[in-house]
Amino acid sequence: MSSIDKSKPIGVVGAGAMGRGIIQVFAQSGFDVLVHDANSSAIESALATIEKLLNRSVSKERITDDERDATLKRITPVGNVSEFKSVQLFVEAASEKPEIKKTIFKAVDKVLAGDAIRATNTSSISITELAAVTGNPSLFIGMHFFNPVPVMKLVEIVMGLETSDATYDKVHALAEAVGKTPLRANDHPGFVSNRILMPMINEAILCMQDGVARPEAIDGIMQLGMAHPMGPLRLADLIGLDVCYDILNVLHRDLGEDKYRPAPLLRKMVLAGRLGNKTKQGFYTYE
Ligand code: CAA
C-alpha cells in the first residue's frame, strides 16, 4: 500500500455540490487544497458553505475554533489550472458533460507532474474514454464520491481499462486518509452504484406516473419498509433530476436494454426545469 504524503497539495476543479464536499474532506484531513472553478462565484459560495458546516461542527464541539480556521486556511482558490504543478492528486468535479471534462483534462494534463494522479468524480461517463485524452492513462482513475460528501462514507474507485494497480493503491490510501471507505469497481456503464440505484429511482418515478401511490407514500414505503435513509423520490431531488436523467440515458444507450429507459415523467420534470433541491422544485418543494 502507498504511504500518504500530506506535504503535497490536492487540486480540485469544480466547486459545485460535489466539488465543495471533496474540498472540505481533504482540507479537514490536513491536505492543502488548490481549487479552480471557471465561475468564481461558485468558489465563494463553496467557501461560505464549508465555513457554515465547520461552524456547525464547532458548535457541536466536534472540532475547535483553531481546527476550523486551519481547515479554511488550507483551501486556496486559484485563477488558473497552471497553478496545479505541485499537486499529487487532481480531482475533476465539473459538470457531467463529456466535452467539458475532456477539455479540463487536456488542459490540466499539460501542467501536472508526470506522476500526479488524474481522477474524475464522474457518476456515469466512461473512465477509459476520459483517460484517453491524457498522456498516461495508467495514472487515470474514477474517484466517485457521494452526496453529501462530508457525510457519506463511500468512495467508489473505478478502474479504467489501463489504470495501473499502483494508481489504485495510492487512491485507495488517499480515500482512507480522508476517512472514507474505498470500494473497487471496473469501468462499465453506471459502475456499480448507479447501475443499481438509478433503476430503483426510475421505478419509483414510474410508480408515481402510473398513480400507484402518492410521492410521500412511495418514499415512506421505501424508508419504513426497506430502512432506506430517504425515499427514492427525495433522493432523486437531492442528486438532481437532470443528473438522474443523464445517467439513465447513459445506461440505456450503453447497455441497450429497455429497463433503463428514463421514465417520461422524469424527462418532463427536467424539461420544465424542476431539477430538485437545486431549483427548489422537484418531486417536492423546498424552502
Ligand atoms: N452537507 C453536509 N452535511 C450534511 C448535509 C449536507 N448537504 N446534509 C445533511 N448533513 C449532515 C447533517 O448536518 C447532520 O450532521 P450532524 O449529525 O452533525 O447533525 C447529518 O448529516 C444528518 O443530517 P439530518 O439529521 O439533517 O438528516 P438525516 O439523518 O435524514 O440525514 C442524509 C441526511 C445524510 C442526507 C441521509 O438522509 C442520507 O444518508 N440520505 C441518502 C443519501 C444518499 O443516498 N446519497 C447518495 C446519492 S447518489 C450520489 O451522490 C452519487 C451519484 O452518482 C448520483
Side-chain angles (χ1 to χ4, degrees), residues 56-236:
R56 193 179 142 88
S57 295
V58 171
S59 67
K60 294 201 156 194
E61 296 183 358
R62 289 189 184 137
I63 61 170
T64 63
D65 285 329
D66 287 351
E67 284 166 337
R68 174 202 54 209
D69 295 346
T71 297
L72 291 170
K73 237 176 114 186
R74 284 187 209 106
I75 305 171
T76 309
V78 297
N80 198 295
V81 293
S82 61
E83 304 202 34
F84 284 163
K85 277 191 198 79
S86 57
V87 307
Q88 58 176 312
L89 166 73
F90 165 68
V91 186
E92 169 277 317
S95 312
E96 203 53 13
K97 304 282 175 221
E99 289 321 311
I100 292 179
K101 291 187 187 294
K102 285 180 192 173
T103 304
I104 291 169
F105 277 112
K106 278 183 201 163
V108 171
D109 198 49
K110 291 189 193 123
V111 173
L112 295 179
D115 60 349
I117 290 172
R118 286 83 164 138
T120 172
N121 179 55
T122 184
S123 44
S124 64
I125 299 167
S126 163
I127 304 303
T128 309
E129 180 185 344
L130 294 176
V133 305
T134 66
N136 184 354
S138 73
L139 288 168
F140 198 99
I141 200 159
M143 198 172 186
H144 185 202
F145 289 84
F146 290 79
N147 189 3
V149 179
V151 179
M152 305 303 286
K153 282 282 168 210
L154 175 65
V155 180
E156 185 179 38
I157 301 184
V158 188
M159 302 291 284
L161 186 66
E162 297 182 68
T163 310
S164 71
D165 284 334
T167 298
Y168 175 81
D169 288 346
K170 176 111 194 253
V171 171
H172 181 109
L174 283 163
E176 286 189 333
V178 298
K180 301 296 183 197
T181 302
L183 291 171
R184 177 169 170 154
N186 287 321
D187 186 20
H188 214 71
F191 319 135
V192 171
S193 53
N194 282 318
R195 181 162 173 172
I196 296 174
L197 175 65
M198 286 302 152
M200 182 191 71
I201 286 178
N202 204 36
E203 206 57 44
I205 300 169
L206 288 167
C207 281
M208 187 180 160
Q209 186 185 293
D210 291 348
V212 180
R214 304 271 311 144
E216 293 79 3
I218 294 169
D219 277 348
I221 285 164
M222 297 305 288
Q223 275 186 279
L224 301 175
M226 265 49 80
H228 289 195
M230 69 205 311
L233 298 172
R234 202 170 280 285
L235 179 57

